[in-house]
Amino acid sequence: MKLDLSEIAAHLGKRINYSLNEKPIVDAESGLRCIDPIVGQIAFSNTGRTIDVRGKFQTVVSLECGRCLKAYVMPIESNIEESLPLEGQPWALAAIESDQEELPEDEVEPLFVDNIFDLGEYLRQSILVNVPIKPLCDEVCKGLCPRCGINLNDQTCECEEEPEESPFGALKSLLEEEQEN
Ligand SMILES: [Zn+2]
Ligand SMILES: [Zn+2]
């Protein structure tokens, strides 16, 4: 989804409200899977130096628990706060030149080129920032049994504990080794 902001860029002080209602983003590369549309409100305003983007959005993502591998859903709600530099405008040029800190070329956001704002990419990045690096269906998720693989949240199994996990187990195997010698 790309928005043409030329109209706002051309008029100093112009402000436009935009109702967000985007199709759920499903992105194979990052594994992001929204299951609800992305809805919200955005206000664009031309401040002279930038187009300020302010608002909020919400959606629901489907995640896989890192312990039990079960799919679960997580609502995401996030604020939108972005400043898109106005380039090529007579008043903006002077402002940008007076800017002390210039970003290196490769750090310039590619979200806004020729007055076209890549809203879809912006939302994708914003949602990803809100997704936990190690998703857990529950903080106390018991995960899968390393032996038989059942989900220990739903069932219990008869598998023995790993011997290394018990100090007595380690002692027992030490004693056994000595007996063998
Ligand atoms: Zn889990
Ligand atoms: Zn088991």
Side-chain angles (χ1 to χ4, degrees):
M1 177 66 191
K2 296 189 176 181
L3 292 180
D4 185 350
L5 303 182
S6 307
E7 180 65 19
I8 303 166
H11 298 94
L12 181 60
K14 186 157 179 100
R15 185 185 160 94
I16 285 182
N17 290 315
Y18 180 79
S19 283
L20 185 64
N21 191 349
E22 296 298 310
K23 280 189 302 184
I25 296 174
V26 176
D27 176 33
E29 195 188 321
S30 60
L32 177 64
R33 207 163 84 84
C34 299
I35 56 169
D36 271 7
I38 302 151
V39 294
Q41 286 292 328
I42 312 180
F44 296 96
S45 51
N46 182 331
T47 68
R49 297 177 60 168
T50 58
I51 293 178
D52 276 3
V53 189
R54 296 286 182 272
K56 54 173 61 177
F57 71 86
Q58 61 187 57
T59 184
V60 176
V61 295
S62 172
L63 299 170
E64 187 184 78
C65 175
R67 279 186 205 152
C68 70
L69 309 181
K70 201 175 73 177
Y72 70 101
V73 298
M74 178 180 149
I76 300 243
E77 213 182 300
S78 182
N79 288 328
I80 296 170
E81 271 190 44
E82 188 74 19
S83 293
L84 310 173
L86 275 171
E87 284 169 38
Q89 301 295 339
W91 65 80
L93 209 62
I96 285 166
E97 274 169 1
S98 69
D99 223 350
Q100 293 300 312
E101 281 179 60
E102 274 203 35
L103 287 171
E105 201 66 38
D106 59 348
E107 281 181 33
V108 172
E109 287 281 307
L111 293 172
F112 189 58
V113 179
D114 294 334
N115 292 331
I116 305 292
F117 177 48
D118 192 342
L119 178 61
E121 176 59 18
Y122 174 78
L123 291 171
R124 192 185 73 89
Q125 292 178 11
S126 305
I127 296 167
L128 278 174
V129 166
N130 284 279
V131 169
I133 294 164
K134 193 178 182 214
L136 290 179
C137 66
D138 193 308
E139 277 186 27
V140 296
C141 171
K142 295 176 187 151
L144 302 176
C145 169
R147 292 278 178 90
C148 70
I150 68 159
N151 186 337
L152 296 172
N153 299 304
D154 304 332
Q155 302 171 64
T156 52
C157 61
E158 301 298 317
C159 297
E160 285 179 36
E161 295 268 317
E162 295 278 339
E164 288 82 2
E165 282 176 18
S166 151
F168 300 108
L171 187 66
K172 191 165 159 258
S173 54
L174 261 179
L175 289 171
E176 276 167 1
E177 267 176 42
E178 276 185 12
Q179 278 166 7
E180 277 169 26
N181 291 338

PDB file of all heavy atoms in Angstrom, residues 61-92:
ATOM      1  N   VAL A  61      -1.745 -10.666  15.340  1.00  0.00           N
ATOM      2  CA  VAL A  61      -0.808 -11.523  14.625  1.00  0.00           C
ATOM      3  C   VAL A  61      -0.891 -12.950  15.164  1.00  0.00           C
ATOM      4  O   VAL A  61      -1.250 -13.177  16.305  1.00  0.00           O
ATOM      5  CB  VAL A  61       0.658 -11.024  14.725  1.00  0.00           C
ATOM      6  CG1 VAL A  61       0.822  -9.694  14.033  1.00  0.00           C
ATOM      7  CG2 VAL A  61       1.122 -10.951  16.169  1.00  0.00           C
ATOM      8  N   SER A  62      -0.551 -13.879  14.281  1.00  0.00           N
ATOM      9  CA  SER A  62      -0.482 -15.283  14.666  1.00  0.00           C
ATOM     10  C   SER A  62       0.991 -15.624  14.871  1.00  0.00           C
ATOM     11  O   SER A  62       1.823 -15.355  14.011  1.00  0.00           O
ATOM     12  CB  SER A  62      -1.096 -16.140  13.564  1.00  0.00           C
ATOM     13  OG  SER A  62      -0.860 -17.505  13.844  1.00  0.00           O
ATOM     14  N   LEU A  63       1.299 -16.191  16.025  1.00  0.00           N
ATOM     15  CA  LEU A  63       2.690 -16.526  16.355  1.00  0.00           C
ATOM     16  C   LEU A  63       2.793 -17.997  16.717  1.00  0.00           C
ATOM     17  O   LEU A  63       1.795 -18.636  17.045  1.00  0.00           O
ATOM     18  CB  LEU A  63       3.170 -15.690  17.547  1.00  0.00           C
ATOM     19  CG  LEU A  63       3.181 -14.172  17.361  1.00  0.00           C
ATOM     20  CD1 LEU A  63       3.447 -13.495  18.688  1.00  0.00           C
ATOM     21  CD2 LEU A  63       4.213 -13.774  16.339  1.00  0.00           C
ATOM     22  N   GLU A  64       4.023 -18.508  16.663  1.00  0.00           N
ATOM     23  CA  GLU A  64       4.242 -19.887  17.090  1.00  0.00           C
ATOM     24  C   GLU A  64       5.081 -19.855  18.362  1.00  0.00           C
ATOM     25  O   GLU A  64       6.148 -19.250  18.397  1.00  0.00           O
ATOM     26  CB  GLU A  64       4.979 -20.655  15.987  1.00  0.00           C
ATOM     27  CG  GLU A  64       5.101 -22.128  16.292  1.00  0.00           C
ATOM     28  CD  GLU A  64       5.912 -22.863  15.229  1.00  0.00           C
ATOM     29  OE1 GLU A  64       7.146 -22.764  15.246  1.00  0.00           O
ATOM     30  OE2 GLU A  64       5.294 -23.531  14.386  1.00  0.00           O
ATOM     31  N   CYS A  65       4.583 -20.532  19.396  1.00  0.00           N
ATOM     32  CA  CYS A  65       5.293 -20.551  20.676  1.00  0.00           C
ATOM     33  C   CYS A  65       6.659 -21.214  20.488  1.00  0.00           C
ATOM     34  O   CYS A  65       6.782 -22.282  19.892  1.00  0.00           O
ATOM     35  CB  CYS A  65       4.477 -21.299  21.712  1.00  0.00           C
ATOM     36  SG  CYS A  65       5.347 -21.486  23.276  1.00  0.00           S
ATOM     37  N   GLY A  66       7.704 -20.548  21.027  1.00  0.00           N
ATOM     38  CA  GLY A  66       9.065 -21.066  20.899  1.00  0.00           C
ATOM     39  C   GLY A  66       9.312 -22.316  21.737  1.00  0.00           C
ATOM     40  O   GLY A  66      10.292 -23.008  21.535  1.00  0.00           O
ATOM     41  N   ARG A  67       8.428 -22.613  22.710  1.00  0.00           N
ATOM     42  CA  ARG A  67       8.626 -23.793  23.552  1.00  0.00           C
ATOM     43  C   ARG A  67       7.759 -24.971  23.117  1.00  0.00           C
ATOM     44  O   ARG A  67       8.244 -26.088  23.003  1.00  0.00           O
ATOM     45  CB  ARG A  67       8.300 -23.459  25.015  1.00  0.00           C
ATOM     46  CG  ARG A  67       9.433 -22.759  25.713  1.00  0.00           C
ATOM     47  CD  ARG A  67       9.126 -22.586  27.183  1.00  0.00           C
ATOM     48  NE  ARG A  67       9.882 -21.455  27.725  1.00  0.00           N
ATOM     49  CZ  ARG A  67       9.477 -20.732  28.754  1.00  0.00           C
ATOM     50  NH1 ARG A  67       8.333 -20.996  29.353  1.00  0.00           N
ATOM     51  NH2 ARG A  67      10.219 -19.732  29.181  1.00  0.00           N
ATOM     52  N   CYS A  68       6.453 -24.721  22.932  1.00  0.00           N
ATOM     53  CA  CYS A  68       5.557 -25.854  22.642  1.00  0.00           C
ATOM     54  C   CYS A  68       5.148 -25.895  21.164  1.00  0.00           C
ATOM     55  O   CYS A  68       4.448 -26.808  20.747  1.00  0.00           O
ATOM     56  CB  CYS A  68       4.317 -25.814  23.534  1.00  0.00           C
ATOM     57  SG  CYS A  68       3.182 -24.477  23.142  1.00  0.00           S
ATOM     58  N   LEU A  69       5.585 -24.896  20.396  1.00  0.00           N
ATOM     59  CA  LEU A  69       5.347 -24.835  18.947  1.00  0.00           C
ATOM     60  C   LEU A  69       3.885 -24.658  18.567  1.00  0.00           C
ATOM     61  O   LEU A  69       3.518 -24.769  17.406  1.00  0.00           O
ATOM     62  CB  LEU A  69       5.915 -26.083  18.232  1.00  0.00           C
ATOM     63  CG  LEU A  69       7.368 -26.439  18.545  1.00  0.00           C
ATOM     64  CD1 LEU A  69       7.792 -27.678  17.758  1.00  0.00           C
ATOM     65  CD2 LEU A  69       8.307 -25.279  18.224  1.00  0.00           C
ATOM     66  N   LYS A  70       3.056 -24.379  19.555  1.00  0.00           N
ATOM     67  CA  LYS A  70       1.642 -24.170  19.274  1.00  0.00           C
ATOM     68  C   LYS A  70       1.425 -22.766  18.711  1.00  0.00           C
ATOM     69  O   LYS A  70       2.080 -21.821  19.133  1.00  0.00           O
ATOM     70  CB  LYS A  70       0.844 -24.340  20.580  1.00  0.00           C
ATOM     71  CG  LYS A  70      -0.622 -24.654  20.375  1.00  0.00           C
ATOM     72  CD  LYS A  70      -1.294 -24.918  21.709  1.00  0.00           C
ATOM     73  CE  LYS A  70      -1.476 -23.627  22.501  1.00  0.00           C
ATOM     74  NZ  LYS A  70      -2.186 -23.829  23.780  1.00  0.00           N
ATOM     75  N   ALA A  71       0.494 -22.658  17.762  1.00  0.00           N
ATOM     76  CA  ALA A  71       0.154 -21.340  17.226  1.00  0.00           C
ATOM     77  C   ALA A  71      -0.749 -20.624  18.226  1.00  0.00           C
ATOM     78  O   ALA A  71      -1.616 -21.233  18.832  1.00  0.00           O
ATOM     79  CB  ALA A  71      -0.547 -21.486  15.887  1.00  0.00           C
ATOM     80  N   TYR A  72      -0.493 -19.347  18.421  1.00  0.00           N
ATOM     81  CA  TYR A  72      -1.369 -18.552  19.277  1.00  0.00           C
ATOM     82  C   TYR A  72      -1.451 -17.153  18.691  1.00  0.00           C
ATOM     83  O   TYR A  72      -0.663 -16.797  17.812  1.00  0.00           O
ATOM     84  CB  TYR A  72      -0.864 -18.535  20.722  1.00  0.00           C
ATOM     85  CG  TYR A  72       0.400 -17.756  20.955  1.00  0.00           C
ATOM     86  CD1 TYR A  72       0.362 -16.473  21.503  1.00  0.00           C
ATOM     87  CD2 TYR A  72       1.639 -18.287  20.613  1.00  0.00           C
ATOM     88  CE1 TYR A  72       1.527 -15.751  21.719  1.00  0.00           C
ATOM     89  CE2 TYR A  72       2.804 -17.578  20.824  1.00  0.00           C
ATOM     90  CZ  TYR A  72       2.748 -16.313  21.381  1.00  0.00           C
ATOM     91  OH  TYR A  72       3.900 -15.591  21.580  1.00  0.00           O
ATOM     92  N   VAL A  73      -2.446 -16.403  19.158  1.00  0.00           N
ATOM     93  CA  VAL A  73      -2.615 -15.062  18.596  1.00  0.00           C
ATOM     94  C   VAL A  73      -2.252 -13.998  19.622  1.00  0.00           C
ATOM     95  O   VAL A  73      -2.362 -14.220  20.832  1.00  0.00           O
ATOM     96  CB  VAL A  73      -4.053 -14.815  18.079  1.00  0.00           C
ATOM     97  CG1 VAL A  73      -4.382 -15.775  16.945  1.00  0.00           C
ATOM     98  CG2 VAL A  73      -5.052 -14.915  19.209  1.00  0.00           C
ATOM     99  N   MET A  74      -1.789 -12.877  19.120  1.00  0.00           N
ATOM    100  CA  MET A  74      -1.400 -11.769  19.991  1.00  0.00           C
ATOM    101  C   MET A  74      -1.884 -10.465  19.369  1.00  0.00           C
ATOM    102  O   MET A  74      -1.563 -10.169  18.220  1.00  0.00           O
ATOM    103  CB  MET A  74       0.121 -11.760  20.112  1.00  0.00           C
ATOM    104  CG  MET A  74       0.659 -10.624  20.953  1.00  0.00           C
ATOM    105  SD  MET A  74       2.483 -10.720  21.012  1.00  0.00           S
ATOM    106  CE  MET A  74       2.845  -8.987  21.145  1.00  0.00           C
ATOM    107  N   PRO A  75      -2.694  -9.707  20.109  1.00  0.00           N
ATOM    108  CA  PRO A  75      -3.112  -8.411  19.576  1.00  0.00           C
ATOM    109  C   PRO A  75      -1.945  -7.436  19.618  1.00  0.00           C
ATOM    110  O   PRO A  75      -1.142  -7.456  20.554  1.00  0.00           O
ATOM    111  CB  PRO A  75      -4.240  -7.970  20.510  1.00  0.00           C
ATOM    112  CG  PRO A  75      -4.199  -8.863  21.685  1.00  0.00           C
ATOM    113  CD  PRO A  75      -3.244  -9.987  21.440  1.00  0.00           C
ATOM    114  N   ILE A  76      -1.849  -6.598  18.613  1.00  0.00           N
ATOM    115  CA  ILE A  76      -0.788  -5.588  18.545  1.00  0.00           C
ATOM    116  C   ILE A  76      -1.445  -4.228  18.426  1.00  0.00           C
ATOM    117  O   ILE A  76      -2.361  -4.049  17.622  1.00  0.00           O
ATOM    118  CB  ILE A  76       0.106  -5.824  17.305  1.00  0.00           C
ATOM    119  CG1 ILE A  76       0.736  -7.194  17.377  1.00  0.00           C
ATOM    120  CG2 ILE A  76       1.109  -4.685  17.104  1.00  0.00           C
ATOM    121  CD1 ILE A  76       2.216  -7.251  17.459  1.00  0.00           C
ATOM    122  N   GLU A  77      -0.981  -3.313  19.248  1.00  0.00           N
ATOM    123  CA  GLU A  77      -1.486  -1.944  19.188  1.00  0.00           C
ATOM    124  C   GLU A  77      -0.272  -1.049  19.243  1.00  0.00           C
ATOM    125  O   GLU A  77       0.582  -1.233  20.120  1.00  0.00           O
ATOM    126  CB  GLU A  77      -2.398  -1.687  20.389  1.00  0.00           C
ATOM    127  CG  GLU A  77      -3.531  -0.741  20.084  1.00  0.00           C
ATOM    128  CD  GLU A  77      -4.384  -0.478  21.314  1.00  0.00           C
ATOM    129  OE1 GLU A  77      -4.948  -1.447  21.849  1.00  0.00           O
ATOM    130  OE2 GLU A  77      -4.442   0.689  21.726  1.00  0.00           O
ATOM    131  N   SER A  78      -0.171  -0.128  18.325  1.00  0.00           N
ATOM    132  CA  SER A  78       1.054   0.662  18.296  1.00  0.00           C
ATOM    133  C   SER A  78       0.781   2.089  17.851  1.00  0.00           C
ATOM    134  O   SER A  78      -0.139   2.343  17.073  1.00  0.00           O
ATOM    135  CB  SER A  78       2.057  -0.007  17.351  1.00  0.00           C
ATOM    136  OG  SER A  78       3.265   0.704  17.341  1.00  0.00           O
ATOM    137  N   ASN A  79       1.583   2.987  18.366  1.00  0.00           N
ATOM    138  CA  ASN A  79       1.498   4.372  17.924  1.00  0.00           C
ATOM    139  C   ASN A  79       2.294   4.555  16.645  1.00  0.00           C
ATOM    140  O   ASN A  79       3.263   3.848  16.407  1.00  0.00           O
ATOM    141  CB  ASN A  79       2.056   5.308  18.989  1.00  0.00           C
ATOM    142  CG  ASN A  79       1.132   5.423  20.182  1.00  0.00           C
ATOM    143  OD1 ASN A  79      -0.094   5.336  20.051  1.00  0.00           O
ATOM    144  ND2 ASN A  79       1.714   5.572  21.358  1.00  0.00           N
ATOM    145  N   ILE A  80       1.857   5.505  15.865  1.00  0.00           N
ATOM    146  CA  ILE A  80       2.578   5.845  14.639  1.00  0.00           C
ATOM    147  C   ILE A  80       3.224   7.199  14.867  1.00  0.00           C
ATOM    148  O   ILE A  80       2.538   8.173  15.206  1.00  0.00           O
ATOM    149  CB  ILE A  80       1.611   5.907  13.431  1.00  0.00           C
ATOM    150  CG1 ILE A  80       0.997   4.528  13.175  1.00  0.00           C
ATOM    151  CG2 ILE A  80       2.332   6.430  12.195  1.00  0.00           C
ATOM    152  CD1 ILE A  80      -0.146   4.543  12.174  1.00  0.00           C
ATOM    153  N   GLU A  81       4.539   7.239  14.739  1.00  0.00           N
ATOM    154  CA  GLU A  81       5.270   8.495  14.901  1.00  0.00           C
ATOM    155  C   GLU A  81       6.423   8.489  13.933  1.00  0.00           C
ATOM    156  O   GLU A  81       7.429   7.829  14.155  1.00  0.00           O
ATOM    157  CB  GLU A  81       5.827   8.613  16.324  1.00  0.00           C
ATOM    158  CG  GLU A  81       4.862   9.271  17.285  1.00  0.00           C
ATOM    159  CD  GLU A  81       5.542   9.589  18.604  1.00  0.00           C
ATOM    160  OE1 GLU A  81       6.678  10.101  18.575  1.00  0.00           O
ATOM    161  OE2 GLU A  81       4.942   9.299  19.653  1.00  0.00           O
ATOM    162  N   GLU A  82       6.252   9.205  12.863  1.00  0.00           N
ATOM    163  CA  GLU A  82       7.275   9.196  11.820  1.00  0.00           C
ATOM    164  C   GLU A  82       7.366  10.609  11.247  1.00  0.00           C
ATOM    165  O   GLU A  82       6.362  11.319  11.168  1.00  0.00           O
ATOM    166  CB  GLU A  82       6.850   8.184  10.741  1.00  0.00           C
ATOM    167  CG  GLU A  82       7.867   7.892   9.685  1.00  0.00           C
ATOM    168  CD  GLU A  82       9.020   7.014  10.166  1.00  0.00           C
ATOM    169  OE1 GLU A  82       8.872   6.332  11.201  1.00  0.00           O
ATOM    170  OE2 GLU A  82      10.065   7.029   9.503  1.00  0.00           O
ATOM    171  N   SER A  83       8.568  10.991  10.897  1.00  0.00           N
ATOM    172  CA  SER A  83       8.746  12.278  10.215  1.00  0.00           C
ATOM    173  C   SER A  83       9.396  12.018   8.874  1.00  0.00           C
ATOM    174  O   SER A  83      10.504  11.502   8.811  1.00  0.00           O
ATOM    175  CB  SER A  83       9.624  13.211  11.050  1.00  0.00           C
ATOM    176  OG  SER A  83       8.948  13.565  12.236  1.00  0.00           O
ATOM    177  N   LEU A  84       8.682  12.361   7.831  1.00  0.00           N
ATOM    178  CA  LEU A  84       9.183  12.127   6.482  1.00  0.00           C
ATOM    179  C   LEU A  84       9.826  13.417   5.973  1.00  0.00           C
ATOM    180  O   LEU A  84       9.157  14.446   5.888  1.00  0.00           O
ATOM    181  CB  LEU A  84       8.038  11.719   5.554  1.00  0.00           C
ATOM    182  CG  LEU A  84       7.137  10.589   6.079  1.00  0.00           C
ATOM    183  CD1 LEU A  84       5.935  10.392   5.164  1.00  0.00           C
ATOM    184  CD2 LEU A  84       7.915   9.288   6.205  1.00  0.00           C
ATOM    185  N   PRO A  85      11.124  13.382   5.676  1.00  0.00           N
ATOM    186  CA  PRO A  85      11.793  14.614   5.239  1.00  0.00           C
ATOM    187  C   PRO A  85      11.244  15.109   3.905  1.00  0.00           C
ATOM    188  O   PRO A  85      11.065  14.334   2.969  1.00  0.00           O
ATOM    189  CB  PRO A  85      13.265  14.206   5.113  1.00  0.00           C
ATOM    190  CG  PRO A  85      13.263  12.722   5.022  1.00  0.00           C
ATOM    191  CD  PRO A  85      12.019  12.226   5.695  1.00  0.00           C
ATOM    192  N   LEU A  86      10.949  16.393   3.862  1.00  0.00           N
ATOM    193  CA  LEU A  86      10.441  16.992   2.627  1.00  0.00           C
ATOM    194  C   LEU A  86      11.615  17.436   1.783  1.00  0.00           C
ATOM    195  O   LEU A  86      12.329  18.372   2.141  1.00  0.00           O
ATOM    196  CB  LEU A  86       9.572  18.209   2.956  1.00  0.00           C
ATOM    197  CG  LEU A  86       8.106  17.936   3.279  1.00  0.00           C
ATOM    198  CD1 LEU A  86       7.476  19.214   3.787  1.00  0.00           C
ATOM    199  CD2 LEU A  86       7.372  17.415   2.067  1.00  0.00           C
ATOM    200  N   GLU A  87      11.819  16.754   0.708  1.00  0.00           N
ATOM    201  CA  GLU A  87      12.909  17.138  -0.175  1.00  0.00           C
ATOM    202  C   GLU A  87      12.336  17.746  -1.446  1.00  0.00           C
ATOM    203  O   GLU A  87      11.229  17.434  -1.843  1.00  0.00           O
ATOM    204  CB  GLU A  87      13.781  15.930  -0.503  1.00  0.00           C
ATOM    205  CG  GLU A  87      14.680  15.565   0.673  1.00  0.00           C
ATOM    206  CD  GLU A  87      15.362  14.228   0.489  1.00  0.00           C
ATOM    207  OE1 GLU A  87      15.748  13.927  -0.650  1.00  0.00           O
ATOM    208  OE2 GLU A  87      15.482  13.495   1.480  1.00  0.00           O
ATOM    209  N   GLY A  88      13.103  18.601  -2.062  1.00  0.00           N
ATOM    210  CA  GLY A  88      12.684  19.172  -3.335  1.00  0.00           C
ATOM    211  C   GLY A  88      11.698  20.317  -3.175  1.00  0.00           C
ATOM    212  O   GLY A  88      11.206  20.853  -4.149  1.00  0.00           O
ATOM    213  N   GLN A  89      11.384  20.692  -1.920  1.00  0.00           N
ATOM    214  CA  GLN A  89      10.526  21.858  -1.718  1.00  0.00           C
ATOM    215  C   GLN A  89      11.430  23.033  -1.394  1.00  0.00           C
ATOM    216  O   GLN A  89      12.371  22.882  -0.624  1.00  0.00           O
ATOM    217  CB  GLN A  89       9.546  21.625  -0.568  1.00  0.00           C
ATOM    218  CG  GLN A  89       8.633  20.424  -0.755  1.00  0.00           C
ATOM    219  CD  GLN A  89       7.673  20.597  -1.924  1.00  0.00           C
ATOM    220  OE1 GLN A  89       7.398  21.714  -2.352  1.00  0.00           O
ATOM    221  NE2 GLN A  89       7.185  19.492  -2.454  1.00  0.00           N
ATOM    222  N   PRO A  90      11.156  24.204  -1.964  1.00  0.00           N
ATOM    223  CA  PRO A  90      12.064  25.336  -1.778  1.00  0.00           C
ATOM    224  C   PRO A  90      12.327  25.652  -0.299  1.00  0.00           C
ATOM    225  O   PRO A  90      13.453  25.853   0.092  1.00  0.00           O
ATOM    226  CB  PRO A  90      11.333  26.502  -2.456  1.00  0.00           C
ATOM    227  CG  PRO A  90      10.235  25.908  -3.253  1.00  0.00           C
ATOM    228  CD  PRO A  90      10.009  24.504  -2.790  1.00  0.00           C
ATOM    229  N   TRP A  91      11.277  25.649   0.522  1.00  0.00           N
ATOM    230  CA  TRP A  91      11.468  26.007   1.930  1.00  0.00           C
ATOM    231  C   TRP A  91      12.149  24.867   2.694  1.00  0.00           C
ATOM    232  O   TRP A  91      12.885  25.082   3.630  1.00  0.00           O
ATOM    233  CB  TRP A  91      10.132  26.362   2.586  1.00  0.00           C
ATOM    234  CG  TRP A  91       9.169  25.199   2.669  1.00  0.00           C
ATOM    235  CD1 TRP A  91       9.179  24.197   3.594  1.00  0.00           C
ATOM    236  CD2 TRP A  91       8.110  24.897   1.789  1.00  0.00           C
ATOM    237  NE1 TRP A  91       8.191  23.300   3.334  1.00  0.00           N
ATOM    238  CE2 TRP A  91       7.506  23.702   2.239  1.00  0.00           C
ATOM    239  CE3 TRP A  91       7.587  25.543   0.655  1.00  0.00           C
ATOM    240  CZ2 TRP A  91       6.421  23.118   1.585  1.00  0.00           C
ATOM    241  CZ3 TRP A  91       6.507  24.952   0.033  1.00  0.00           C
ATOM    242  CH2 TRP A  91       5.936  23.762   0.490  1.00  0.00           C
ATOM    243  N   ALA A  92      11.893  23.625   2.227  1.00  0.00           N
ATOM    244  CA  ALA A  92      12.420  22.464   2.930  1.00  0.00           C
ATOM    245  C   ALA A  92      13.918  22.329   2.710  1.00  0.00           C
ATOM    246  O   ALA A  92      14.649  21.927   3.596  1.00  0.00           O
ATOM    247  CB  ALA A  92      11.710  21.212   2.459  1.00  0.00           C
TER     248      ALA A  92
END
